[in-house]
Amino acid sequence: MITVAIAEDHQALVDGIKSYVKYEDDISIIGHAGNGEELLKLVRLKQPKVVLCDIRMPKLDGIEATRVILKELPHTKVVAFTMFDQDAAVKQMLAAGAQGYILKNSSLAVVLEAIRTVYDGRTYYDKKIHLLNAEKNSTKSVLSSREREILQLIAKGRTSHQIADELFIGKSTVDTHRKNMIRKLGLSGAGELLRYAVEKKYDF
């Protein structure tokens, strides 16, 4: 069962999603929050597998809430759920670790598709968001400076141990950065990350 939490302050929209989802055998809405602080409490208590997260929320916005959720519960999948189709908002949510981004005026079928897609470990971007269709693998817009540094070393054929030694950090830290890059870039594993690094080695 894919358990889902919703961060959204428009009750009518939440009710619409709940009404639609109740006929689905594999998805269950376990709670909703009206602001970022309520969302963190809900996620910590019930640990949903997927979070639909509004960006503009009182007390704590969706970008910071996503960072906190993925730091504390890194296996959680977050889908940005918003009225905003703005470059900065998209990039900030991706940088925070969101695996998907859909607009609130999308059909409920799209909402379900996004939930199932990110739960399966893939990324999902609303087709209405032109920025992501063109730039979803843009290294500079998605990765941190440290991740780009590690990606350059991966492109040079360095192992995690070698990267750790060269950057004076732990191997586990390098491995965490690898996993984060795979997620942010929508890749399927270490092999794809290496291939991506080699292809992009002069574009960091």
Side-chain angles (χ1 to χ4, degrees):
M1 179 67 69
I2 307 173
T3 52
V4 180
I6 304 173
E8 169 59 51
D9 58 359
H10 290 88
Q11 189 63 44
L13 183 55
V14 174
D15 290 343
I17 295 173
K18 286 182 176 179
S19 297
Y20 195 74
V21 166
K22 70 182 181 182
Y23 298 107
E24 304 298 315
D25 294 332
D26 60 331
I27 298 175
S28 174
I29 306 297
I30 61 170
H32 80 274
N35 63 61
E37 290 182 359
E38 289 179 4
L39 175 63
L40 293 183
K41 291 177 183 177
L42 175 63
V43 170
R44 287 163 177 156
L45 178 65
K46 297 192 174 181
Q47 299 191 12
K49 294 173 181 173
V50 176
V51 175
L52 290 181
C53 187
D54 196 356
I55 291 181
R56 302 291 183 252
M57 293 189 292
K59 297 186 178 180
L60 188 72
D61 67 29
I63 296 164
E64 186 58 31
T66 296
R67 289 193 186 102
V68 175
I69 288 168
L70 295 179
K71 181 178 180 180
E72 295 183 7
L73 298 163
H75 297 298
T76 309
K77 310 297 183 183
V78 177
V79 177
F81 187 53
T82 184
M83 292 299 296
F84 294 88
D85 180 9
Q86 298 178 342
D87 291 6
V90 175
K91 291 178 180 179
Q92 285 179 307
M93 281 301 284
L94 288 178
Q99 289 87 0
Y101 195 110
I102 57 177
L103 299 178
K104 290 182 184 178
N105 59 5
S106 299
S107 69
L108 290 172
V110 166
V111 174
L112 295 185
E113 184 181 3
I115 290 170
R116 292 186 174 110
T117 299
V118 300
Y119 175 72
D120 286 338
R122 294 171 287 142
T123 53
Y124 186 93
Y125 303 116
D126 196 312
K127 295 178 177 64
K128 297 175 185 176
I129 302 174
H130 304 296
L131 169 79
L132 288 178
N133 289 331
E135 290 193 282
K136 65 182 180 181
N137 286 337
S138 172
T139 309
K140 291 179 182 177
S141 67
V142 174
L143 301 185
S144 68
S145 58
R146 174 64 92 182
E147 286 166 343
R148 293 197 301 271
E149 190 175 14
I150 291 173
L151 198 60
Q152 287 179 320
L153 295 174
I154 291 173
K156 294 176 182 177
R158 304 286 202 281
T159 65
S160 290
H161 280 294
Q162 291 170 330
I163 293 171
D165 289 343
E166 192 162 334
L167 299 180
F168 303 102
I169 57 178
K171 178 182 176 295
S172 61
T173 301
V174 176
D175 291 338
T176 297
H177 281 305
R178 282 180 180 269
K179 290 175 184 176
N180 288 339
M181 286 189 285
I182 289 168
R183 185 188 71 240
K184 289 180 180 180
L185 295 169
L187 305 176
S188 63
E192 275 201 16
L193 181 63
L194 174 59
R195 188 157 51 248
Y196 180 92
V198 171
E199 289 174 357
K200 297 282 187 177
K201 66 189 301 182
Y202 300 113
D203 189 30
F204 295 156

